[in-house]
Amino acid sequence: MADILPKPLQRLILVLAKLPGVGSRTAMRYALHLVREGSDRLEELSAALDETRREVSLCPSCFGMSEGGGLCPICASPERRGETLCVVEGIGDMPPIESAAQYAGRYFVLHKLLSPLKGVGPQELHLDRLLDTVRDHGIAEVVLATPLTTDGEATATYLSRLLTQEGVRVTRLAAGVPVGGAIEYLDRLTLSRAFQDRKEL
Amino acid sequence: MRVVSAILEDFRNLSVRVDLACGINVFVGRNGQGKTNFLEALFVACMGRSFRPGRLADLVRFSAPGATVELGVEERGIVTPVRVSIAGSQRRHRVGGRDNCSLSEVAQMIRAVFFGPDDLDLVKGSPSGRRSFLDEAIRVHHPPYERLLMGYQRLLRDRNQLLRDFGSGRHPPEELLASYEGELARWGGQIVSHRSRYLRDYSPMAVELVARHTGGQLTLELAHECTAGPCGGAIEVGDAQEMLLGRLRDLRGEDIRSGSTTVGPHLDDLRLDVNGRAARLFASQGEQRQVAVSMKLAQLALWRQKFGVTPLLLLDDVLSELDSTRIRLLLDAIAGWQVQAVLTTTAPPDVVWKDDDACFRVKEGGICRVDFDKVADEA
C-alpha cells in the first residue's frame, strides 16, 4: 500500500510503526501528517529527536533518565532523603509514585525483572550497582516496588534475600483493597491477599 | 431452577425445539444421529464452552452464518430466556433482556454438569486427569484458584529452567534458586491446601454415594497423595507452604541432576481404592464406570449443598456398561435429589419411569417425544 510513496517516507513509516501502540496504518497517518504540515514541523521533530539523542542518558546512580550525562534531578536534589531507596521495574513507574507525593527518597530502576525462562538473570539487572549504592550511600531502607506479578514477586523475593544480608531494612509495597474501592467488586485473589496482609489499628 | 425448553438453530446438525420434562429426559437414537450434539448445545448455553475439544466455530452447521441456542429457564414459575449465539469465533450470551452477559452472570442463573464416556479416565487414567477433576471443582467454589494454578505453572517452568542452567554448568547464584523455591512453595502450598480442604468436604460425599449407588457392594476410599508430605485431613496454607519448601530444598540436588522439579502439586494424585484395592488396577470396567459416575454426582451434590443451585445434569452414554439394578439405583438417586437430568442412550434401559420423566427419539437431526414403551419397539 505504501509502495507508491517516496522511499524516505516509506522508511519513516517503518520506523514509526515500531513505537508501542502504533501499527502500520497509524504510522502512515503520522508520516503523512508530518509531511503535510511542512518543513517547520519536520524540523521541530528532528531537532527534538537530535537533542534527545545527544543530551538524554541513563543516570549513573539510579539508572533513571538524566540530562547531559550527569545525575538525574532526583539523585542531584539535596532535598531528597538519602537513606531510603525505592526499587522500581521501569522509568514509567516513577512519575506515578512521584505524583502520589508520599515518597521522598531516591530510586533505583531495574529496567527488567528476573525471568529464568526469558534468560534474564541477576546480572542483567545490574544488581552490583544496587548493592554499591546501598553500601556507599548508607541506605537504611529499601522499598521494593516491583509489580505484583509472578516475575515482579520473584524479583522482590530475590532482592530481599540479597539486601537483608547487607543489614538493610527491606520493605515491600502493600497489596490489597484500592482506596475508594468497594469490597463487593474486588477480585478475589486481591481480596484474599488483603486479608493475609491486614494490619492492626 | 429447571430448563423447560430448548430451541436450537443451526447448532451442528440440529435445528429443533424440545420441551423438556422436569425429571429425567432420555434421548434414544443410534450413533451419529445428534444425541450428543443436543447435550452439547445445552452445555454451551449454560457454560459458554463445549465439553468437546475444538473451536467455537465448529459448533455452527456447515455453511450457516451462525448458531443459536435458547433455553427457557424456569425459576419459581417465571421463565427467563437464556440465549447464546455463536458467529465465527464469537460467543454472546443474553439473559432475559440483558445482552452481552458475562459467564458469571449466566452461572447465577443456570449451570450444567456433563458426564461422558471419557470421564471413565477419572478412575483408570493418569493422575493428571484426577488433578484436573479436583481443580475444576475447586475453581467453581473459588474462581481465583485458576490464577493460582497459572502462576504456579509459570514459576515451575522458571525453576526448571534454573535447574537446567545449573546442570549445564552455568551457575546462577544459589540465592536465585532459593528465591524461586520460596515463591513456588508460596503458590504451591496454597494449591495443596485448597485441594486438601476441598477433599475434606468432598470425600465423605463420594464415599457415601458409591455405597448407596451400589447397594453397599463397593466401598470407596479416597486419599490425597501429596508428594510434599503426609496430607491427611485439611492442611493449613502455612503448613503446606513450609512442607513444600522443605522438600524443594531437600531435593534440589536430585532435581538439578534430573533437570525438573520432582515435588509439588503438579505431581500429586488422588488415590482411589475400591474394597481395599487400587481401583485403577483391580476394579472391573463396570465398577470403574460406577465409581466415576458416583464421584461426579458427589461433586454435584456438594455444589448443590453449597450454592443452593442445582445444576442441570447431562449424562452422555453412561448407562451402557451398568447392569439394570445399578441403573435403577442411579436413576433413583437423581430423582431423589430432584435434579433435572438429560441422558443419551442407544437403547432405553428397562426400568420403571416416573411421570416427571420423558423419552425422546433422535433420528437424523430430528427430535420428537415418544412414549417409553414405544421407543423400545422402534429401536
Side-chain angles (χ1 to χ4, degrees):
Chain A
M1 54 166 185
D3 294 352
I4 53 163
L5 299 173
K7 289 245 158 43
L9 205 50
Q10 290 185 25
R11 274 195 291 275
L12 177 61
I13 291 171
L14 288 175
V15 171
L16 289 172
K18 288 184 190 172
L19 296 173
V22 178
S24 60
R25 285 173 58 168
T26 310
M28 181 146 79
R29 247 182 71 219
Y30 287 173
L32 293 175
H33 176 81
L34 287 166
V35 174
R36 216 172 24 236
E37 290 279 303
S39 58
D40 283 0
R41 192 50 57 86
L42 284 172
E43 204 61 56
E44 200 177 80
L45 182 66
S46 102
L49 287 174
D50 208 37
E51 195 186 18
T52 305
R53 185 175 54 81
R54 266 186 289 113
E55 297 290 331
V56 176
S57 57
L58 290 184
C59 167
S61 172
C62 72
F63 294 97
M65 291 288 172
S66 73
E67 197 179 328
L71 292 174
C72 71
I74 290 176
C75 287
S77 165
E79 319 241 302
R80 287 281 172 161
R81 294 182 23 199
E83 74 278 8
T84 56
L85 192 68
C86 179
V87 178
V88 294
E89 179 193 0
I91 293 166
D93 299 329
M94 290 164 67
I97 296 177
E98 282 299 293
S99 60
Q102 189 64 47
Y103 179 71
R106 299 179 195 283
Y107 289 93
F108 189 88
V109 186
L110 298 170
H111 291 284
K112 279 179 179 173
L113 294 174
L114 290 176
S115 172
L117 278 175
K118 293 184 199 147
V120 183
Q123 59 284 4
E124 274 79 24
L125 269 51
H126 41 246
L127 296 182
D128 43 341
R129 293 299 303 275
L130 175 62
L131 292 177
D132 285 348
T133 309
V134 169
R135 286 179 200 131
D136 298 349
H137 292 78
I139 300 287
E141 178 182 351
V142 176
V143 184
L144 299 173
T146 50
L148 280 113
T149 55
T150 43
D151 285 347
E153 291 272 67
T155 305
T157 305
Y158 179 62
L159 289 182
S160 82
R161 282 169 173 271
L162 214 59
L163 292 163
T164 314
Q165 291 170 358
E166 298 291 316
V168 58
R169 179 172 182 234
V170 182
T171 55
R172 175 90 171 109
L173 279 195
V177 185
V179 177
I183 305 283
E184 191 185 351
Y185 299 112
L186 203 59
D187 89 274
R188 313 242 193 117
L189 204 56
T190 306
L191 198 55
S192 68
R193 183 69 180 266
F195 264 95
Q196 280 165 28
D197 293 353
R198 71 187 186 276
K199 66 174 182 184
E200 190 115 21
L201 289 178
Chain B
M1 189 283 313
R2 68 191 189 99
V3 179
V4 290
S5 63
I7 303 166
L8 283 61
E9 273 172 52
D10 293 326
F11 189 94
R12 292 202 192 259
N13 70 333
L14 300 173
S15 289
V16 288
R17 182 194 163 101
V18 179
D19 291 309
L20 293 168
C22 61
I24 299 168
N25 295 273
V26 184
F27 284 71
V28 185
R30 295 210 199 99
N31 293 325
Q33 304 300 305
K35 300 189 299 290
T36 305
N37 291 351
F38 183 71
L39 290 192
E40 189 182 30
L42 295 177
F43 191 84
V44 172
C46 298
M47 309 301 275
R49 62 187 167 85
S50 174
F51 47 72
R52 286 165 162 161
R55 298 168 304 141
L56 268 181
D58 297 341
L59 303 177
V60 181
R61 183 198 294 270
F62 184 68
S63 84
T68 59
V69 181
E70 180 170 319
L71 306 182
V73 180
E74 191 230 63
E75 172 107 62
R76 297 190 185 89
I78 312 277
V79 178
T80 309
V82 173
R83 181 189 168 95
V84 64
S85 15
I86 295 150
S89 59
Q90 298 290 310
R91 171 195 56 80
R92 270 170 61 186
H93 257 99
R94 198 171 75 196
V95 175
R98 219 175 109 67
D99 218 341
N100 286 322
C101 284
S102 71
L103 286 179
S104 59
E105 285 174 280
V106 178
Q108 285 168 15
M109 193 77 203
I110 188 170
R111 289 169 190 263
V113 169
F114 172 79
F115 191 88
D118 290 347
D119 287 304
L120 189 55
D121 285 350
L122 180 60
V123 178
K124 73 171 179 189
S126 65
S128 71
R130 288 182 286 280
R131 283 195 297 272
S132 358
F133 172 75
L134 277 182
D135 291 342
E136 237 164 71
I138 297 169
R139 234 188 310 242
V140 169
H141 292 263
H142 184 74
Y145 185 68
E146 171 73 21
R147 273 157 65 195
L148 276 180
L149 290 175
M150 279 162 45
Y152 178 79
Q153 284 300 333
R154 174 69 204 277
L155 288 163
L156 187 64
R157 290 200 300 272
D158 277 328
R159 182 177 187 258
N160 288 345
Q161 182 61 49
L162 283 175
L163 294 170
R164 285 194 292 274
D165 287 351
F166 263 97
S168 64
R170 267 173 294 159
H171 272 274
E174 291 275 312
E175 283 296 315
L176 187 63
L177 194 49
S179 302
Y180 273 92
E181 283 162 6
E183 288 294 296
L184 199 59
R186 201 157 66 82
W187 291 66
Q190 295 188 63
I191 294 173
V192 169
S193 173
H194 267 296
R195 286 187 185 158
S196 76
R197 278 179 288 164
Y198 177 75
L199 281 171
R200 177 195 54 193
D201 298 339
Y202 171 79
S203 297
M205 190 73 90
V207 169
E208 189 198 320
L209 290 193
V210 168
R212 203 195 302 163
H213 296 165
T214 60
Q217 286 176 2
L218 297 185
T219 309
L220 176 70
E221 275 173 86
L222 298 94
H224 188 187
E225 283 203 323
C226 190
T227 48
C231 203
I235 181 164
E236 288 303 319
V237 175
D239 297 339
Q241 287 170 333
E242 204 174 307
M243 197 162 75
L244 187 52
L245 186 59
R247 293 292 288 154
L248 282 167
R249 283 194 189 129
D250 292 347
L251 291 169
R252 192 187 293 171
E254 261 175 62
D255 285 357
I256 288 173
R257 274 190 294 282
S258 71
S260 70
T261 302
T262 55
V263 63
H266 63 291
L267 293 172
D268 293 352
D269 195 1
L270 175 62
R271 203 184 66 227
L272 304 173
D273 285 349
V274 169
N275 296 346
R277 304 211 297 172
R280 189 169 58 87
L281 302 173
F282 298 105
S284 72
Q285 180 95 346
E287 286 170 340
Q288 288 180 346
R289 182 170 288 253
Q290 178 68 58
V291 168
V293 176
S294 299
M295 283 181 64
K296 197 89 178 177
L297 289 176
Q299 185 188 357
L300 183 143
L302 202 61
W303 201 343
R304 197 174 122 91
Q305 213 175 54
K306 198 139 180 168
F307 297 106
V309 184
T310 314
L312 176 65
L313 183 59
L314 305 174
L315 300 169
D316 190 24
D317 196 24
V318 296
L319 303 180
S320 54
E321 279 167 61
L322 302 183
D323 61 46
S324 58
T325 323
R326 289 196 177 160
I327 290 175
R328 186 63 265 170
L329 285 166
L330 193 68
L331 297 180
D332 278 347
I334 294 170
W337 285 341
Q338 299 180 317
V339 175
Q340 189 182 22
V342 181
L343 61 90
T344 68
T345 177
T346 44
D350 188 17
V351 293
V352 183
W353 298 96
K354 301 193 170 67
D355 289 346
D356 288 345
D357 302 335
C359 185
F360 300 85
R361 194 184 57 229
V362 186
K363 196 172 181 187
E364 288 164 11
I367 299 178
C368 58
R369 188 165 174 170
V370 289
D371 287 340
F372 276 105
D373 42 350
K374 294 231 178 76
V375 75
D377 305 339
E378 292 177 26

